[in-house]
Amino acid sequence: MSHSYVVTGGGRGIGRAVVERLRGDANHVVVIERDPSALAWTHARPRVIAVVGDAADEAVTEQAADLAQAAGTLAGWVNNAAVFSPASLDLPSAREVLDLIASNLGPAVVGCMTAIRRFLDAGTGGAIVNVSSHQAQRPVRGSLPYATAKAATEGLTRSLAVDYGAHGIRVNAVALGSIATERYEAFLRRQEPAAVTRIEQEMSLLHPVGRVGRPEEVAATIAYLLSDGASFISGATIPLDGGRSVLGRDPEEA
């Protein structure tokens, strides 16, 4: 029987690239996506199964797990669903801040719990990859809910790796730098040419490799972490940021 995977937030951008990579020649991939319009492409992809719903809803993740296990041996789960909502403590109430944190942390927690229950019940082990961000360590202004949720996601990753490693379950995270998704490209298209040039120059300075990342580069790393080739990697957060997290921009540089 072939392997199957679940990818949350898999309708667009990085999530879609991960789905395409994992599907390969024989695997089945279940995609969880809130926006039905983002799933139209799945109809033309054999072995891709779409589930419309909120990845923080256990009923939705359980449905996805059922479909994945009906299609093959559930081998991996990718928690990619996320929302970026700018906020700081001087604007909304504390309750609103907590809700914004939960909107990003919730899908990771629910996805991990669902996957681990299924791995344990099947006795097969499995792998989970949580998608984090460089902002978990170096937040930008206004990113308080997002950066807090991503930092918690990395803590969740380490804790689950410790708790369930003896059961053959590996849990890792990837901390992304800037990636050229559809959202990023659409943002550039809304700018004046001079602004686009300035933004691209700034991005090249932020990332030592001289550019932003590509969704397929993220997908390749996630696919590796889910594979048997990464069988001794667990509890790790892999910087997938072109060196952004280790760059020290300083006046001495000049």
Side-chain angles (χ1 to χ4, degrees):
M1 183 177 281
S2 66
H3 286 162
S4 64
Y5 300 88
V6 175
V7 178
T8 72
R12 295 188 176 94
I14 293 165
R16 176 172 174 173
V18 172
V19 172
E20 299 278 23
R21 178 70 181 234
L22 293 177
R23 184 174 70 94
D25 296 324
N27 298 324
H28 291 76
V29 185
V30 179
V31 182
I32 299 177
E33 174 63 57
R34 288 196 303 182
D35 180 5
S37 68
L39 292 169
W41 63 273
T42 65
H43 305 320
R45 296 293 192 280
R47 304 182 312 283
V48 175
I49 305 162
V51 173
V52 178
D54 186 347
D57 183 344
E58 285 190 85
V60 172
T61 58
E62 292 292 340
Q63 179 191 2
D66 286 342
L67 291 168
Q69 289 185 308
T73 301
L74 180 61
W77 192 291
V78 181
N79 289 309
N80 172 67
V83 215
F84 186 88
S85 300
S88 58
L89 287 179
D90 60 340
L91 293 177
S93 67
R95 180 71 262 164
E96 288 174 292
V97 172
L98 288 168
D99 288 344
L100 289 171
I101 293 169
S103 70
N104 275 293
L105 181 59
V109 172
V110 172
C112 285
M113 294 298 98
T114 303
I116 287 170
R117 282 195 299 263
R118 297 304 179 108
F119 294 151
L120 291 174
D121 288 346
T124 56
I128 297 170
V129 175
N130 295 318
V131 177
S132 184
S133 166
H134 67 97
Q135 292 196 46
Q137 300 299 321
R138 299 176 68 179
V140 300
R141 290 186 182 91
S143 69
L144 187 154
Y146 182 78
T148 301
K150 291 305 185 183
T153 296
E154 293 182 11
L156 173 73
T157 298
R158 291 187 290 271
S159 297
L160 293 176
V162 169
D163 287 348
Y164 294 99
H167 298 277
I169 297 170
R170 296 184 300 105
V171 189
N172 291 292
V174 289
L176 307 185
S178 296
I179 307 296
T181 61
E182 294 101 320
R183 179 182 174 185
Y184 178 83
E185 298 295 345
F187 167 73
L188 289 182
R189 286 195 297 272
R190 293 194 299 270
Q191 310 304 312
E192 295 295 329
V196 172
T197 300
R198 178 184 59 78
I199 291 166
E200 290 179 337
Q201 288 174 342
E202 183 66 20
M203 285 300 183
S204 72
L205 291 173
L206 281 172
H207 300 82
V209 299
R211 61 173 176 84
V212 299
R214 297 186 292 268
E216 56 268 28
E217 292 174 314
V218 179
T221 302
I222 290 175
Y224 172 70
L225 289 172
L226 293 174
S227 75
D228 291 340
S231 57
F232 203 54
I233 302 176
S234 194
T237 296
I238 309 296
L240 194 50
D241 61 5
R244 181 171 181 167
S245 58
V246 297
L247 175 64
R249 295 186 66 188
D250 190 282
E252 291 184 2
E253 187 175 37

